[in-house]
Amino acid sequence: MVEAVQGAGVVVTGAGGGIGAALARRFAAEGARVVVNDLDGDRARAVADEIGGIAVPGDASAVIVPAREALGGTVDVYCANAGVGFQDGAEGLSADETSWATSWDVNVMAHVRAAQELLPAWLERGSGRFVSTVSAAGLLTMIGAPSYSVTKHGAYAFAEWLSLTYRHRGVKVHAICPQGVRTDMLTASGSAGELVLQSTAIDPSDVADALFKGIEEDRFLILPHPFVAEFYQARATDPEHWLENMNRVQQKWEDVR
């Protein structure tokens, strides 16, 4: 059992399935009191019933107030897990303004709104934990999905900013950056996901395991796929070579589509 989360009031957004449900299950198993949030109320209630949690359906951007009330007044851990992804095609620019706006709103601004609501109380008491489900795309990129790649970079940047700004005041931040995970989003990624993600895809429970190991080790960056660190380093140290390699992947995808 991880002492840091025993008895904690935890909110997990997008927890009706996939990574969110796995996080909710793990926090509950570790003795936390868990609010399960999802746009799909039936799925949220099903997970909450399974783990003995509390379902608070609805938009992740508006969950803090009702979740805090459901937990008796205090949110100790917030998991910004809800996300959207659009597969925009080989040319990459077919997504319309609405898709871009939705990606920005869900993948970035929902995190900002949650932090704005949570930080005053966390700073006053000197503790709080913000968990951001980003993606390896937030460190690297994803072929065929510019809106997803760009906004996941934004989600990572915001988590990084939160950590460097408030860590000395007791706020813990974790950025989870998995590559392929066996979820509905991986299925929806189509042929690009099959080419890039499928062969090394892991289960959502593996992501939860990686997070809890990171909590125990007090680490910001959580890499359920350890090899992503090598890609991230290659991107930083030799961007031209990295872009050439990624372009070869792009061309391979165009050939097999």
Side-chain angles (χ1 to χ4, degrees):
M1 301 288 280
V2 177
E3 185 177 350
V5 302
Q6 291 180 32
V10 178
V11 179
V12 186
T13 66
I19 294 173
L23 294 177
R25 292 185 182 106
R26 182 60 183 270
F27 274 106
E30 295 284 342
R33 299 170 295 116
V34 182
V35 163
V36 180
N37 165 260
D38 200 275
L39 277 174
D40 187 324
D42 290 338
R43 295 183 74 181
R45 284 184 283 272
V47 174
D49 289 346
E50 174 194 337
I51 66 173
I54 308 163
V56 180
D59 191 325
S61 287
V63 72
I64 300 296
V65 172
R68 185 185 284 136
E69 293 174 356
L71 291 168
T74 303
V75 174
D76 301 296
V77 182
Y78 183 82
C79 297
N81 173 78
V84 295
F86 296 98
Q87 191 61 34
D88 301 324
E91 297 304 320
L93 294 176
S94 58
D96 58 21
E97 291 276 344
T98 300
S99 295
W100 276 95
T102 299
S103 293
W104 180 254
D105 193 65
V106 177
N107 293 344
V108 181
M109 291 309 300
H111 298 203
V112 175
R113 295 180 190 115
Q116 289 172 330
E117 189 73 34
L118 292 164
L119 262 292
W122 286 0
L123 295 175
E124 183 178 352
R125 75 185 195 204
S127 66
R129 193 178 299 271
F130 195 99
V131 179
S132 178
T133 300
V134 183
S135 167
L139 299 175
L140 306 170
T141 193
M142 180 59 190
I143 60 172
S147 58
Y148 182 77
S149 298
V150 170
T151 55
K152 287 299 186 177
H153 272 72
Y156 181 78
F158 182 65
E160 193 174 54
W161 182 88
L162 279 180
S163 181
L164 69 88
T165 303
Y166 297 112
R167 59 171 49 207
H168 67 293
R169 299 180 65 181
V171 176
K172 306 288 188 180
V173 182
H174 307 281
I176 313 173
C177 297
Q179 196 159 282
V181 183
R182 298 184 188 101
T183 65
D184 292 343
M185 190 174 287
L186 177 59
T187 302
S189 67
S191 57
E194 285 186 34
L195 177 63
V196 177
L197 307 175
Q198 190 68 56
S199 64
T200 57
I202 59 176
D203 289 328
S205 60
D206 296 322
V207 179
D209 289 344
L211 171 62
F212 271 78
K213 184 177 180 181
I215 290 174
E216 290 183 295
E217 297 174 355
D218 198 20
R219 278 189 289 108
F220 166 75
L221 182 56
I222 311 297
L223 296 177
H225 295 81
F227 59 79
V228 168
E230 299 174 15
F231 297 159
Y232 189 38
Q233 184 178 31
R235 175 179 177 268
T237 57
D238 192 350
E240 289 299 327
H241 182 64
W242 182 78
L243 285 167
E244 286 291 341
N245 285 338
M246 288 302 297
N247 181 251
R248 291 189 189 98
V249 176
Q250 170 73 20
Q251 292 179 62
K252 183 176 181 180
W253 179 47
E254 291 176 10
D255 290 342
V256 301
R257 289 180 80 245

